Amino acid sequence: TISFIMNHPTVLFISHGGGPLPLLGDPKHAEMNEMLPKIASKIPKPDVILMLSAHWEEDIPTLTAASDPPLIYDYYGFPKESYEIQYPAKGQPDFARKLKEQLQKEGIKTNLSFERGFDHGMFVPLKIMYPNADIPVVQLSLATSLDPEFHIAMGRAIRKLPYAGDNVLLIGSGFSFHNMKAFFAQPNTDITQKNRDFDNWLQATMSSKDISEEDRQKNLIDWNEAPSAEFCHPRNEHLLPLHVCYGAAGRASDEAFSLQILDKQASMFLWNAAQDNCVEQAN
């Protein structure tokens, strides 16, 4: 038998705010702008970042495989400087290829894209967390099925990648609340209450040590049964990066953060890197 240490990535789910607003000095993103660098300072500086953004869906999960992906300014109607933001992070094609092999080994068909760039779900938070853009990044798309169980399985497969000596940070970049109409509506007690009810459920589900992993997973799969779930997420693409994060971590979060973004209660969750002692039978 061979015994070895298996490193698992640091895992972080973030609420990434509205378009480029966090980078434009918007006061309703002040808490997010403060919190992201604080979280970055708590974790070892990664060698590579694997980023899942709510703003990229493909029928077959797809990885960015270019060594210099361009930025995609996938937002509309913002000031001119929003379309001049620079974040010249490199890609990491070898890591993308390794990850594709690992996902396929776990039965998850995966594509590589040499054309796809980095969207704002990647570059807005990373410009705040790691402003030097000196960490290579690979982006992984969501699957258009938006199936919660599938995205948890995708996270589990990521967890099994042999990260030999690599210090990997997996970031799920979404938003714990994503009802566009409610963002633009006049604040009222009904919206505030629904936002709070769902966010409190989410905080308890992700951080409570009293919930078994079987129940935590069931809660995430049946997320739409949570209080005001479908009001807070009329479509679940901003929640699913959390499912991938949970699949990769497989336990309650080590730290849960609560903050106001765009006058809404929002959440972020951190799982510190873990190590498993693995034993394999030699052939």
Side-chain angles (χ1 to χ4, degrees), residues 83-247:
Y83 304 93
E84 295 164 356
I85 293 164
Q86 296 300 306
Y87 192 74
K90 297 284 184 202
Q92 180 70 290
D94 284 353
F95 181 70
R97 276 192 292 271
K98 259 194 256 177
L99 193 50
K100 177 189 172 174
E101 277 168 30
Q102 177 61 31
L103 287 162
Q104 305 225 121
K105 203 166 102 184
E106 296 295 317
I108 296 169
K109 191 171 190 293
T110 311
N111 286 339
L112 296 178
S113 169
F114 294 89
E115 286 76 48
R116 168 80 193 191
F118 294 139
D119 61 62
H120 79 272
M122 174 277 196
F123 66 79
V124 171
L126 288 191
K127 202 169 168 69
I128 300 166
M129 292 178 75
Y130 300 109
N132 297 337
D134 56 351
I135 303 165
V137 181
V138 169
Q139 247 193 263
L140 170 60
S141 76
L142 299 175
T144 43
S145 68
L146 301 183
D147 175 74
E149 206 161 349
F150 177 81
H151 287 83
I152 293 173
M154 205 153 80
R156 247 190 235 120
I158 291 166
R159 178 182 170 82
K160 289 182 183 170
L161 183 70
Y163 299 98
D166 281 340
N167 184 4
V168 177
L169 170 60
L170 165 65
I171 299 181
S173 178
F175 208 144
S176 53
F177 178 92
H178 200 257
N179 178 324
M180 294 305 282
K181 276 188 189 156
F183 279 132
F184 294 107
Q186 283 300 101
N188 64 52
T189 50
D190 180 52
I191 292 175
T192 303
Q193 196 54 55
K194 285 174 170 166
N195 166 214
R196 241 178 235 157
D197 289 347
F198 180 74
D199 206 68
N200 292 342
W201 171 86
L202 196 63
Q203 285 266 341
T205 296
M206 298 321 299
S207 60
S208 170
K209 308 279 191 277
D210 300 330
I211 299 174
S212 71
E213 295 320 314
E214 198 180 333
D215 284 347
R216 197 181 324 275
Q217 178 169 315
K218 192 178 180 314
N219 283 353
L220 280 171
I221 291 168
D222 300 330
W223 69 273
N224 55 323
E225 291 172 19
S228 302
E230 286 173 335
F231 173 80
C232 295
H233 290 278
R235 192 173 182 273
N236 64 341
E237 83 288 344
H238 273 72
L239 191 62
L240 284 176
L242 177 61
H243 289 70
V244 181
C245 286
Y246 174 68

